[in-house]
Amino acid sequence: MKECYTDRYTAYCIMNKYTKEEYIGITKDVSKRMLAHRARLRAKTHIHLPLYSNMLEYGEHAFIYGVIEVNMTRKQALRIEKQLVEKHQPALNSNLKWLLIQNYLFC
């Protein structure tokens, strides 16, 4: 299936300022995604994921957010995300997510 040009993705990072642990993700809308992360934290949903349990432990103020790369197709974004995760091995990502990405890219 061909992607629409307007479906552009951004790779981003969330880092704990104190422990330097990172989370790497991709999204179509960075502002909405950051709000969604904060909303899930406050609602205490998905707290089993390393990112959210870390945010609960250190507090929302302990995290900084940054953009890594912009204007990518979904497939490009998934490849970049996979490369970044393999290189940096971010402690706050879920291992299940990376299995799903590998299956999507290499099936």
Side-chain angles (χ1 to χ4, degrees):
M1 182 167 82
K2 198 168 190 176
E3 290 186 84
C4 175
Y5 180 75
T6 59
D7 287 344
R8 305 310 285 181
Y9 287 77
T10 298
Y12 67 94
C13 178
I14 301 173
M15 185 178 74
N16 183 317
K17 293 187 287 189
Y18 304 114
T19 66
K20 305 301 183 212
E21 293 173 304
E22 299 173 313
Y23 172 88
I24 295 172
I26 60 171
T27 185
K28 285 189 202 179
D29 187 324
V30 175
S31 297
K32 281 185 183 177
R33 188 66 181 124
M34 294 308 130
L35 289 173
H37 280 304
R38 289 182 182 117
R40 284 184 175 158
L41 173 66
R42 291 174 185 151
K44 296 189 178 170
T45 59
H46 299 291
I47 58 171
H48 61 285
L49 297 175
L51 173 64
Y52 297 114
S53 60
N54 199 271
M55 286 180 149
L56 285 171
E57 181 179 349
Y58 287 91
E60 195 175 328
H61 66 280
F63 293 83
I64 55 175
Y65 302 81
V67 171
I68 300 169
E69 192 162 335
V70 298
N71 201 27
M72 297 177 287
T73 65
R74 178 172 169 75
K75 193 162 189 171
Q76 289 170 328
L78 287 167
R79 285 189 190 279
I80 291 293
E81 185 180 32
K82 181 180 182 299
Q83 291 169 358
L84 289 167
V85 166
E86 287 175 351
K87 181 178 179 181
H88 297 281
Q89 299 180 358
L92 301 180
N93 284 85
S94 168
N95 290 335
L96 176 61
K97 182 177 181 180
W98 307 120
L99 292 174
L100 295 174
I101 288 172
Q102 287 178 336
N103 288 336
Y104 174 81
L105 289 175
F106 302 108
C107 286

